[in-house]
Amino acid sequence: MDTQDQHGRAPVPAVLAVLAVPKTTAPRRPCGPRPRRRHLRLALAGSAAAFTLTAGLATPLNPAPQQAEAKGDGDKKVLTVAVAQSVDSLSPFLAQRLLSTSIHRLTYEYLTNYDAKDNKAIAGFATEWKPSADKLTWTYTIRGDSKWSDGKQATAEDAAWTFNKVMSKEGTATANSNFVTNFKKVTAPSPTKLVIELKKPQATMAALDVPILPKHVWEKVDDISKFNNDKDFPVVGNGPFILTDYKVDQYVRLKANKGFWRGAPKFDELVFKTYKDQDAAVSALRKGEVSFVAGQPALTPAQAKSLENVENVKVNEGPGRRFFAIATNPGAKTRDGKKFGDGHPALLDKKVRQALFLSVDREALVDKVFQGNAVVGAGYIPPRFSQYAWKPSAEQELTYDPKKAARLLDEAGYEKNGDGKRVGKDGKPLDLRILCHATDPNDKAVGKYLKEWWGDLGIGLKVDCLDDVSVPWYAGEYDLAFDGWSVNPDPDFVLGIHTCAALPVKAKESAATDNFICDKKFDELYEKQLAEYDPDKRAAIVKRMQSWLYDSGYMNVLAYPNAVEAYRTDQIKSITTMPKDAGNIYGQDGYWSWWSAVPADGKSSSKDGSSTGVIIGIAAAAVVLVGGGVLFALRRRSTAEDRE
């Protein structure tokens, strides 16, 4: 999610010229993300094309294959981003997919934000925050220059109402409940003062990635659990953009908030246009019909190569903030222990889970599927976040070893029959299913390798590629799934989705859980890291948690894909990457990219007119992003594609 500077205002990135630095490939061997999850994948094929529409067009989403042209100062500047993911909900209480949470970052302020330069906590809705001596009470100073788009003043009362509503769990705990489980009381003594009392110390108080909502609008909603915030437009917010229109699986349209306290965006409109076919999105970029494309979650090597020599197109590549993994169904259950779903019982055996992962050649996948545009997977947190990144020891590592995998299956009671099929003691063949995102070419490509590798072991595999994997996922009706998350600088959120508290209250309902994992040891470590303020000690606990996940066999992180995306230079003059020197544009921990984007023929309209040019290429695969003692939260897995 986002963060900001511990004490003060959010620094505005400086303007840089767009550089064309030679592309560098991330190391392919033991180095090891991408957050995909059942929803995981960063599903946005952002099509960077800030193109101008004339009054004669019936819609700003007209797909006519004409080159976008720079217009005069009097014409509207529209930046169109091609996306592959669907919106799950426009309600911040319910949304978990990356596209949805990215829209909320653009339309609502959070207490703090992340500096695009170094990811330190900087000012957002709050200008200052400080704890009491015992760290059990935090006081935030709320800025006085933020207004809701309907003209009303945004105050601390809005923030208190938002947090209290999430704490109430009245259909409001789906997306952000982990941030408030340790809250004891939240009050607003004055319009500019917010006070949060805790049950015990919490190290993530400068990383509360919860959109602050206008109380005067949302308190009128009858049933928040069923309200998707997608009927009345424009939607009242106080971020850099205002949500003005939405059509399911077609587009989301936003306009610049001219009254935004940090300065208005340079583009008049921002449109996220849905493309279910990633090649079609790339073609649209080539024709100038869109401004930006990021892929699902990144462009494939072939797509990136096809754009390298296209006039007015730049390819941006940086170390990714996501991981790409295989998740197993450990047995779906509710918080009170009621089991549901139809996950294969063989996966309850750790030996079977580890056997599957021992027969996956991660290096081959990085070479053949990602063609070097990724780093071999290991721990749960990408190497980009070096403070928390973890790798197993040589003795602990589950390296590619089909022979050892076969021995483990024999020990687990799944021996080969005369036909070469693994069968259990009940005589039934060991046939598994894996959920696959239909819009993600990587899922399909890796699925083919898994069928071959696991087939050699005697295990059958059906690759179920669906447009929306969230339905069977929440129902626990799967055996394995391609998984992934976009990780933020602070690991609390992504670790919290594996705690017992994240399980659903009722069978088959949406919940914060990523994969129904619930273990007392993991929960104890989670509580320890949450309360630890010493950065080094906290990092050590986080690494122990990743070690536990790795040994359990519940998750197998295959790779950390690079962020590979492209935009049109005849539509976008400059745009901020995160981190600034070599990072991603789409799916940032903040709103810097779209807020800072400058039209190719436009003029700056922010308070200091600053913006950062895109840097093409990777200086290093592992970039240190955490600075200072404040930690930042990470975000989300999407239920069907990518929760942020």
Side-chain angles (χ1 to χ4, degrees):
M1 307 242 49
D2 317 311
T3 318
Q4 284 193 301
D5 225 16
Q6 208 160 344
H7 306 296
R9 338 177 136 187
V12 183
V15 179
L16 298 179
V18 177
L19 303 180
V21 180
K23 168 178 147 186
T24 301
T25 300
R28 303 187 177 192
R29 301 269 164 187
C31 270
R34 146 194 182 182
R36 243 192 78 16
R37 61 154 283 91
R38 23 172 146 216
H39 356 325
L40 348 287
R41 300 310 160 121
L42 183 54
L44 289 323
S47 292
F51 66 91
T52 307
L53 302 168
T54 65
L57 294 179
T59 166
L61 300 173
N62 188 306
Q66 62 188 47
Q67 179 68 34
E69 299 178 359
K71 302 294 182 180
D73 290 343
D75 291 331
K76 183 180 295 184
K77 302 299 180 181
V78 182
L79 193 163
T80 301
V81 177
V83 297
Q85 191 178 53
S86 299
V87 169
D88 54 346
S89 177
L90 290 176
S91 165
F93 292 117
L94 305 175
Q96 293 178 308
R97 294 184 188 171
L98 181 63
L99 174 58
S100 308
T101 57
S102 295
I103 291 170
H104 292 147
R105 286 191 180 280
L106 296 170
T107 54
Y108 301 105
E109 275 281 43
Y110 295 48
L111 287 181
T112 58
N113 204 332
Y114 295 106
D115 189 340
K117 182 178 181 180
D118 56 16
N119 269 27
K120 288 184 179 180
I122 58 175
F125 193 47
T127 58
E128 294 181 346
W129 46 96
K130 58 183 179 181
S132 57
D134 61 4
K135 296 184 173 62
L136 292 177
T137 301
W138 282 73
T139 302
Y140 298 79
T141 300
I142 303 302
R143 64 175 55 259
D145 57 353
S146 177
K147 288 189 175 182
W148 297 111
S149 53
D150 62 1
K152 295 183 180 298
Q153 183 69 34
T155 70
E157 186 176 1
D158 295 302
W161 182 89
T162 300
F163 286 116
N164 279 305
K165 185 56 66 172
V166 177
M167 292 166 65
S168 73
K169 298 183 179 180
E170 299 170 357
T172 59
T174 299
N176 300 304
S177 60
N178 66 296
F179 293 111
V180 303
T181 53
N182 185 43
F183 285 14
K184 181 179 179 181
K185 186 179 181 181
V186 183
T187 58
S190 75
T192 58
K193 184 177 181 181
L194 177 72
V195 178
I196 300 178
E197 298 178 36
L198 305 173
K199 300 172 185 175
K200 53 188 175 183
Q202 180 170 325
T204 62
M205 296 305 287
L208 300 176
D209 296 326
V210 179
I212 304 303
L213 303 178
K215 175 185 176 182
H216 67 281
V217 174
W218 283 79
E219 66 181 354
K220 298 175 183 177
V221 176
D222 294 329
D223 187 350
I224 288 182
S225 67
K226 297 179 181 179
F227 180 66
N228 281 317
N229 197 27
D230 58 0
K231 302 301 180 184
D232 297 322
F233 297 99
V235 174
V236 177
N238 63 340
F241 288 90
I242 300 169
L243 179 56
T244 59
D245 196 10
Y246 165 63
K247 290 291 183 293
V248 177
D249 289 339
Q250 294 184 47
Y251 63 85
V252 180
R253 186 182 303 140
L254 307 98
K255 70 176 182 180
N257 181 358
K258 302 301 183 181
F260 184 51
W261 68 270
R262 201 187 292 273
K266 290 79 174 171
F267 278 90
D268 300 301
E269 284 192 355
L270 172 63
V271 177
F272 293 98
K273 183 177 179 181
T274 303
Y275 284 85
K276 289 299 183 181
D277 184 302
Q278 189 166 305
D279 287 331
V282 172
S283 177
L285 179 73
R286 200 178 282 115
K287 297 173 183 177
E289 297 168 6
V290 297
S291 315
F292 177 92
V293 61
Q296 163 81 13
L299 297 179
T300 65
Q303 289 168 340
K305 186 174 181 61
S306 74
L307 294 171
E308 285 180 355
N309 298 314
V310 176
E311 185 178 5
N312 297 321
V313 170
K314 288 285 187 181
V315 176
N316 177 60
E317 181 171 354
R321 58 182 284 244
R322 300 181 65 78
F323 62 79
F324 177 56
I326 298 173
T328 63
N329 181 347
K333 58 186 175 183
T334 59
R335 206 172 298 172
D336 61 3
K338 181 180 179 181
K339 297 179 181 180
F340 62 96
D342 62 0
H344 200 295
L347 296 176
L348 299 178
D349 190 325
K350 180 178 177 179
K351 288 184 178 180
V352 174
R353 298 194 299 268
Q354 292 190 332
L356 291 175
F357 297 161
L358 282 166
S359 53
V360 175
D361 190 340
R362 295 190 298 269
E363 293 184 1
L365 294 178
V366 167
D367 288 341
K368 296 177 181 180
V369 175
F370 296 99
Q371 297 184 28
N373 296 318
V375 176
V376 174
Y380 198 63
I381 297 174
R384 167 168 162 170
F385 303 106
S386 61
Q387 182 173 8
Y388 297 109
W390 170 89
K391 291 196 295 184
S393 63
E395 298 75 23
Q396 184 182 15
E397 187 175 10
L398 297 174
T399 55
Y400 181 57
D401 191 342
K403 291 183 178 180
K404 183 177 180 180
R407 290 197 301 272
L408 285 177
L409 288 171
D410 288 339
E411 293 173 11
Y414 293 91
E415 298 183 349
K416 281 188 176 182
N417 62 13
D419 297 325
K421 288 282 297 180
R422 294 278 173 181
V423 295
K425 295 178 181 179
D426 57 4
K428 294 181 180 180
L430 184 54
D431 291 327
L432 303 173
R433 306 157 296 171
I434 186 167
L435 286 176
C436 156
H437 301 80
T439 56
D440 195 326
N442 291 330
D443 279 13
K444 298 175 183 178
V446 174
K448 291 180 180 179
Y449 282 100
L450 296 182
K451 288 192 72 168
E452 178 184 342
W453 292 332
W454 291 348
D456 291 342
L457 276 177
I459 299 172
L461 180 66
K462 179 182 179 183
V463 182
D464 289 328
C465 292
L466 307 174
D467 287 335
D468 184 355
V469 302
S470 62
V471 176
W473 203 308
Y474 278 137
E477 296 171 353
Y478 68 100
D479 301 322
L480 304 114
F482 288 110
D483 199 353
W485 283 84
S486 293
V487 177
N488 285 358
D490 187 282
D492 179 70
F493 181 89
V494 82
L495 296 173
I497 59 180
H498 294 311
T499 61
C500 298
L503 293 175
V505 175
K506 297 179 181 178
K508 300 186 178 183
E509 73 176 7
S510 59
T513 185
D514 176 57
N515 198 46
F516 302 105
I517 294 174
C518 176
D519 182 89
K520 183 178 180 181
K521 177 63 175 178
F522 186 85
D523 276 16
E524 289 175 352
L525 291 173
Y526 175 78
E527 293 299 327
K528 286 182 179 179
Q529 67 81 28
L530 183 62
E532 181 56 68
Y533 277 76
D534 182 284
D536 293 335
K537 291 181 179 179
R538 183 170 184 240
I541 299 172
V542 169
K543 291 176 181 179
R544 287 173 61 192
M545 297 176 73
Q546 294 180 78
S547 177
W548 182 92
L549 275 174
Y550 186 90
D551 289 340
S552 74
Y554 290 135
M555 301 284 295
N556 183 15
V557 177
L558 303 178
Y560 309 110
N562 293 340
V564 185
E565 49 203 2
Y567 70 100
R568 292 197 63 92
T569 57
D570 57 350
Q571 298 179 35
I572 301 177
K573 178 181 180 180
S574 63
I575 193 168
T576 301
T577 62
M578 188 174 186
K580 186 176 65 175
D581 293 335
N584 56 291
I585 295 172
Y586 179 81
Q588 295 182 355
D589 297 301
Y591 44 63
W592 308 115
S593 55
W594 313 126
W595 170 76
S596 71
V598 176
D601 63 340
K603 293 187 171 73
S604 169
S605 62
S606 74
K607 290 182 178 178
D608 66 357
S610 65
S611 163
T612 301
V614 175
I615 306 296
I616 310 293
I618 305 175
V623 180
V624 179
L625 295 182
V626 178
V630 180
L631 306 165
F632 320 86
L634 97 196
R635 199 79 188 148
R636 327 167 160 284
R637 80 161 203 225
S638 129
T639 90
E641 303 164 18
D642 232 10
R643 300 187 177 191
E644 167 208 14

